[in-house]
Amino acid sequence: MGYRVAVVGATGNVGREMLNILAERQFPTDEIVALASRKSLGTEVSFGDTTLKTKDLDTFDFSGWDIALFAIGSDATKIYAPRAAKAGCVVIDNSSLYRYDPAVPLIVPEVNADAIEGYSRKNIIANPNCSTAQMVVALKPLHDRARIKRVVVSTYQSVSGAGKDGMDELWDQTKGMYVPGQEKEPSKFTKQIAFNVIPHIDTFLEDGSTKEEWKMVAETKKIIDTSILVTATCVRVPVFVGHSEAINIEFEDFLDEDEARDILREAPGVMVVDKREDGGYITPVECVGDFATFISRIRQDSTIDNGLNLWCVSDNLRKGAALNAVQIAEVLGQRCLKKG
Ligand SMILES: NC(=O)c1ccc[n+]([C@@H]2O[C@H](COP(=O)([O-])OP(=O)(O)OC[C@H]3O[C@@H](n4cnc5c(N)ncnc54)[C@H](OP(=O)(O)O)[C@@H]3O)[C@@H](O)[C@H]2O)c1
């Protein structure tokens, strides 16, 4: 016996990937429905070897549906997620709306699967920001061994993190550099993204940081340990899919780079590719379509007592969103919504 599953935002980057991953991982479904806005009514989306016709979220009745995987923006989520949850359907949400709500668990299954039990307070489970998800998968096993005091992270985030409009803008702007008359001014991003990098994602906060940077701080604390200090600089780069991060970690206890490499090799969801030679590391184009978070360039930071540096790359549409959401659904099914 399987579940009745709704994919909300099925025409978007994350929604399409959720359908792919549900099919790839053979998530037990009795019935699946693809939902999006009214303008997408009838749009065909793939689910394994079959095609689904998208239905209108606004008129959809969630009664009798078990799980809804949401990948629409926060504004629309605010309207539709409570509606689904109230109808008895468990919402797994990719937006930032519920991530910091103490009554909603924020889950990365490799890190804090046990916290899922708290879902029943609101019938909602939150998925973290894409940059946080891949980072905490790498940090948790190291924290368990040597206690992390402080993390300094710089991100190199692909345009797909800004949705399908972000991908279109990079494509059109790149073409416009070569085809006279097809120049494309920035609209989704604040400056030219083609052949450029932009040190600004989401809105500015009073202290000069951005909301994206604040999310990495707040979410790491909620998922792993409130005592961990994080300082982040989030940067958009002209890569279609795959987020990269340069992470510097300061520990309470000494952790040798070889031991760290061994710990990460054994860690769930992690793949270590770390050869100190030309090409002996992973770049974003190589992680696309993969489930793993890749770790390379593991090395001691000799400028502090207990420091390590590493390079972390993952498919932001997968571990950063769709895969993590499906993994949450799997844990939910195994622990809380048993069937058959
Ligand atoms: N991309 C990432 O790496 C990533 C990572 C983590 C979290 N997220 C979050 O996931 C969510 C979706 O991101 P995305 O990258 O997939 O965006 P996207 O490619 O722009 O897709 C947005 C989806 O939401 C639907 N939608 C928007 N407003 C709607 C409304 N009022 N009613 C019904 N459907 C509506 C769209 O349907 P139509 O096509 O009909 O407009 C589309 O299916 C966002 O909250 C984002 O912050 C994204």
Side-chain angles (χ1 to χ4, degrees):
M1 229 179 128
Y3 298 89
R4 297 183 79 212
V5 177
V7 173
V8 183
T11 52
N13 277 342
V14 175
R16 286 176 190 271
E17 209 55 27
M18 291 197 298
L19 287 164
N20 289 337
I21 293 170
L22 286 165
E24 277 172 43
R25 293 173 75 95
Q26 299 183 327
F27 187 83
T29 50
D30 272 357
E31 193 178 350
I32 186 147
V33 63
L35 302 170
S37 74
R38 190 160 302 152
K39 79 171 162 46
S40 299
L41 188 69
T43 299
E44 294 191 342
V45 289
S46 300
F47 173 59
D49 295 334
T50 61
T51 301
L52 306 174
K53 278 197 177 13
T54 306
K55 294 187 177 167
D56 178 12
L57 170 63
D58 196 46
T59 53
F60 186 74
D61 180 2
F62 284 93
S63 310
W65 290 79
D66 299 300
I67 299 171
L69 300 172
F70 268 65
I72 55 179
S74 292
D75 290 346
T77 303
K78 196 183 266 179
I79 301 168
Y80 298 107
R83 206 187 272 184
K86 202 166 165 221
C89 176
V90 182
V91 171
I92 300 172
D93 180 34
N94 274 284
S95 81
S96 58
L97 186 66
Y98 293 103
R99 289 180 195 155
Y100 319 107
D101 182 336
V104 173
L106 177 64
I107 302 291
V108 174
E110 296 90 339
V111 178
N112 65 338
D114 290 347
I116 204 164
E117 308 291 342
Y119 86 93
S120 57
R121 278 174 283 175
K122 287 200 170 170
N123 243 9
I124 298 173
I125 301 166
N127 213 48
N129 181 258
C130 36
S131 311
T132 310
Q134 67 184 69
M135 184 171 79
V136 296
V137 167
L139 294 185
K140 178 66 165 66
L142 302 177
H143 182 62
D144 287 345
R145 160 65 182 79
R147 309 289 303 168
I148 295 173
K149 278 165 66 176
R150 179 169 184 256
V151 173
V152 183
V153 55
S154 300
T155 70
Y156 307 73
Q157 296 180 223
S158 67
V159 293
S160 57
K164 53 193 177 188
D165 293 349
M167 297 179 85
D168 289 346
E169 188 154 314
L170 173 58
W171 178 250
D172 293 341
Q173 229 169 50
T174 306
K175 262 193 321 190
M177 305 292 255
Y178 298 100
V179 185
Q182 287 197 23
E183 295 81 5
K184 172 102 171 76
E185 289 300 312
S187 62
K188 182 75 187 172
F189 300 113
T190 50
K191 298 217 178 196
Q192 175 188 319
I193 186 64
F195 307 103
N196 201 9
V197 297
I198 305 173
H200 170 199
I201 302 178
D202 211 331
T203 52
F204 275 95
L205 304 178
E206 260 181 25
D207 68 356
S209 66
T210 64
K211 188 85 187 287
E212 186 82 354
E213 291 157 357
W214 176 85
K215 286 174 194 168
M216 293 192 79
V217 176
E219 294 175 21
T220 303
K221 285 176 179 291
K222 184 167 177 179
I223 296 167
I224 305 185
D225 190 329
T226 52
S227 72
I228 296 177
L229 302 174
V230 178
T231 180
T233 302
C234 292
V235 181
R236 189 72 73 193
V237 298
V239 166
F240 281 107
V241 179
H243 286 1
S244 308
E245 298 173 342
I247 307 177
N248 175 267
I249 311 165
E250 183 178 0
F251 297 94
E252 277 176 24
D253 304 328
F254 179 74
L255 179 58
D256 175 74
E257 61 189 23
D258 291 329
E259 188 184 350
R261 200 172 290 109
D262 288 344
I263 289 170
L264 289 167
R265 275 205 185 98
E266 296 299 316
V270 172
M271 182 78 79
V272 174
V273 178
D274 191 19
K275 295 187 193 141
R276 293 176 174 181
E277 60 187 40
D278 292 354
Y281 41 80
I282 291 287
T283 60
V285 292
E286 295 159 287
C287 77
V288 177
D290 228 300
F291 287 152
T293 292
F294 292 91
I295 306 295
S296 307
R297 305 287 323 278
I298 302 164
R299 62 206 190 275
Q300 225 79 49
D301 171 8
S302 58
T303 65
I304 50 175
D305 281 344
N306 302 321
L308 272 184
N309 286 304
L310 51 87
W311 175 247
C312 173
V313 179
S314 197
D315 181 330
N316 54 295
L317 298 178
R318 292 204 154 210
K319 187 59 201 167
L323 169 64
N324 199 69
V326 173
Q327 287 176 300
I328 292 172
E330 289 169 351
V331 176
L332 187 72
Q334 287 152 12
R335 299 191 184 190
C336 313
L337 301 182
K338 290 203 179 77
K339 290 261 177 181

